[in-house]
Amino acid sequence: MRTRNATTAGLWLRSGGGSGQRPRRRLICLPHAGGTASTYRTWPELLPRDLAVHTAQYPGRQDRFAELAADSIEDMAESIASAVEPLSGDPLVVFGHSMGAYIAYEVVAELERRHGPVVDLLVVSGVIAPHRKGAGDVHKLGDAEFVAEVARDNESFAELLANPDLIEVLLPMIRDDYRLFEMYRPSDPPAVRARMLATGGAADPDVDHDGLLSWGELAAGDFEAVTFPGGHFYLVEDEPALVGALAERLPSV
């Protein structure tokens, strides 16, 4: 039986990195559709030791498998913003890839609604700005067609979804994520005051450099767009370069 999720920092965030002492800076990471908290498990090794990495764990997977999916990206972002609030006294960076980029944007917008500009840097990866995105109905496809689309978007899922036992476990969760992603179409999203960086892969078939630049329309402060080699999952293919670029832009302490 699945249950509705709650809002606590321990429920939503998994922590790693840092030197064992109290961190001086914090990075919040939001995974893509179908992703888990382990998506960014290697990042702490590539980042400064005074930076703690906190990755969101969405409901419906791994240790939160028994929980119902969120109703919307906005609802999930509101819960994550509440989990992040206690950490906002330190220099704070929020990073999200693909669906996670939209959640990251909504988390920062929600924190600014509550407290003003408490996030130093928002990094949105692999998607066009939300007010420019079109509709989608991949989540409504039959299982075979849906699996084919998911495997096309993310090669790492192809082997998993070829296993009939894993399909039964993973498919509902991934379909829920695609539903959230495709139904998220805010008509008048607010500009955020946090410094913003948009990143993507040069060979990504779904978002080009101009698509990344569309995020500048939602940046009330400094904005930058950077393209890396690779496709939609360039952050796996070119992880050291991306994490290095992020490290160069971390807030100073």
Side-chain angles (χ1 to χ4, degrees):
M1 178 179 178
R2 294 199 163 187
T3 60
R4 181 59 62 196
N5 58 73
T7 302
T8 66
L11 183 68
W12 284 95
L13 299 179
R14 306 291 179 269
S15 300
S19 60
Q21 301 178 344
R22 186 184 184 281
R24 302 175 68 191
R25 297 177 285 188
R26 298 181 188 273
L27 169 64
I28 312 299
C29 294
L30 290 307
H32 57 276
T36 67
S38 62
T39 298
Y40 300 97
R41 65 189 178 279
T42 57
W43 281 32
E45 303 168 9
L46 303 172
L47 287 163
R49 288 173 57 81
D50 68 352
L51 178 78
V53 178
H54 307 271
T55 303
Q57 183 77 298
Y58 307 145
R61 67 212 68 204
Q62 292 185 338
D63 57 331
R64 301 189 67 187
F65 178 76
E67 296 177 45
L68 292 170
D71 291 329
S72 68
I73 279 181
E74 292 90 340
D75 285 348
M76 186 149 56
E78 186 173 350
S79 294
I80 295 172
S82 294
V84 171
E85 265 182 317
L87 309 176
S88 61
D90 296 317
L92 190 61
V93 177
V94 179
F95 175 96
H97 177 67
S98 198
M99 180 183 80
Y102 292 143
I103 299 172
Y105 161 76
E106 288 288 345
V107 166
V108 173
E110 178 62 23
L111 287 171
E112 290 190 352
R113 278 192 286 268
R114 299 180 190 182
H115 305 291
V118 295
V119 173
D120 297 272
L121 175 65
L122 166 62
V123 188
V124 287
S125 168
V127 283
I128 196 169
H131 61 299
R132 299 294 182 184
K133 75 187 287 284
D137 57 4
V138 171
H139 69 284
K140 297 179 180 178
L141 295 174
D143 286 354
E145 295 165 299
F146 181 70
V147 167
E149 283 293 322
V150 171
R152 180 187 68 83
D153 287 343
N154 186 350
E155 292 181 1
S156 68
F157 280 141
E159 185 175 344
L160 293 175
L161 294 177
N163 184 324
D165 295 329
L166 289 177
I167 283 182
E168 185 176 350
V169 174
L170 294 176
L171 210 58
M173 176 268 287
I174 298 173
R175 191 184 293 277
D176 277 332
D177 283 0
Y178 270 67
R179 172 184 59 82
L180 294 177
F181 179 86
E182 292 180 331
M183 293 182 66
Y184 175 65
R185 298 186 68 197
S187 59
D188 189 25
V192 297
R193 290 190 275 174
R195 187 161 50 102
M196 189 186 299
L197 171 65
T199 60
D204 189 332
D206 297 321
V207 56
D208 58 15
H209 192 71
D210 287 342
L212 296 179
L213 290 174
S214 67
W215 280 100
E217 299 167 14
L218 299 182
D222 293 340
F223 173 77
E224 182 183 8
V226 178
T227 304
F228 296 86
H232 185 62
F233 279 90
Y234 75 96
L235 72 170
V236 176
E237 302 160 16
D238 206 16
E239 180 183 77
L242 170 62
V243 177
L246 182 58
E248 291 173 0
R249 292 163 175 80
L250 290 174
S252 58
V253 291

